Structures are given as C-alpha cells and as structure tokens.
Amino acid sequence: PDPVRVAAALETLETAMKRGEAGERVRAIEDAADLADGEVVGWIARGLGDKEPTVRNAAVKALRYQEHPAALKALETALRKAPRSPDEDKAVAELVLAVGQHASPGSLALLADGGLDRTRSHTTRARIQALGRVRDPRAVEELVSLMNKAGNGRLGGGAQFD
C-alpha cells in the first residue's frame, strides 16, 4: 500500500480510537479497511473490543475482507472471546462469517466449535456457511456432523447424512 496513505490512516485511526466519538471511529475504520498493512490492521482490530456495537460491526466488516494475515488472527481471537448468549447471536454470527470469509483450514476447529444451539440460530447458520467456504475435506466432515446433529440426525424429508 501507498506509504503516505498508510501513515495518514494510522494517524486518523489512532486519534479516532483514543479520543473520537463512535462515528469517527467507524469512519476511520471504513476509510482504512482496504489497506493491507499490519499496523493498520492492528488499529482496526482494536475496534473489535469497542463498547459501541457500530464500531465493533465496522471492525468485523473491515477485517472480513482484509487480506493481511493479521486480520484473520484478530477475528479468530475475537470469536474465541465472543459471548455465547442468545442476545449476541447476530453479532457472533457476523464474526463467524468474517472468519469463514478467509477460508482458512486452520480455522476449522473454531468454526465448528459450538455445534447446534437452537437459541443461536444466526450463529448456527453462519457456521454452516463459513464451513462451506473452506476447501478442505475436514470441512465437509464438520458440515455433515453439524447437519446430523440437527433434528437427531434427520433433516427435511428424513434424510440422514453418513
């Protein structure tokens, strides 16, 4: 990336994250989202722990499509720490989809973790979609396992996957 643009983004991100209002933090994250720079990604990743949902959402979205390897690491860390309550279902689902977007076989265990929980239907659907993006035979095994757990091994029409 252009070093001048990276420097400007770093300055904007640091200022916004330390002293800015939620809207400023969101704008700084969105403006820097396409910069594949480790330091920029680090500042964007700070948004994953922000108290404001809009900032967390912007950080997840930015890191979901970010090509720098640090983005996936930050998303995986956030997913491991994510609350497992039904109240956070949609937010956790977005994290799952963001990790899955990177299609990394190294994320399989994390994407499959949690199984099926009918109180977290968004997260369950996101896990299925995310596992489907990973091009690895183990991902198929995890998908089949998840589907077999739904409805005691029965899915629409009584089909069982073995």
Side-chain angles (χ1 to χ4, degrees), residues 94-105:
E94 289 302 317
L95 265 174
V96 170
L97 290 171
V99 170
Q101 186 70 38
H102 290 268
S104 171

Side-chain angles (χ1 to χ4, degrees), residues 32-48:
D34 65 332
L35 293 173
D37 176 85
E39 212 174 337
V40 169
V41 169
W43 278 101
I44 292 172
R46 289 181 183 209
L48 295 171

Side-chain angles (χ1 to χ4, degrees), residues 110-121:
L110 184 59
L111 292 172
D113 181 42
L116 297 171
D117 180 343
R118 296 195 191 290
T119 64
R120 296 183 300 141
S121 62

Side-chain angles (χ1 to χ4, degrees), residues 25-136:
R25 295 193 302 274
V26 168
R27 275 189 302 284
I29 288 169
E30 289 173 346
D31 290 346
D34 65 332
L35 293 173
D37 176 85
E39 212 174 337
V40 169
V41 169
W43 278 101
I44 292 172
R46 289 181 183 209
L48 295 171
D50 201 278
K51 65 181 187 252
E52 293 294 328
T54 57
V55 177
R56 291 193 305 268
N57 291 341
V60 168
K61 183 178 178 184
L63 295 172
R64 178 176 181 172
Y65 299 103
Q66 174 56 252
E67 294 178 11
H68 195 280
L72 176 58
K73 290 184 193 306
L75 288 166
E76 287 176 335
T77 299
L79 183 54
R80 280 187 197 92
K81 294 178 179 180
R84 302 291 188 215
S85 71
D87 296 340
E88 295 293 327
D89 184 39
K90 287 183 181 179
V92 174
E94 289 302 317
L95 265 174
V96 170
L97 290 171
V99 170
Q101 186 70 38
H102 290 268
S104 171
S107 302
L108 280 174
L110 184 59
L111 292 172
D113 181 42
L116 297 171
D117 180 343
R118 296 195 191 290
T119 64
R120 296 183 300 141
S121 62
H122 294 284
T123 301
T124 299
R125 278 194 296 277
R127 287 185 192 290
I128 291 168
Q129 289 175 338
L131 284 167
R133 290 194 51 78
V134 180
R135 300 296 181 240
D136 187 288

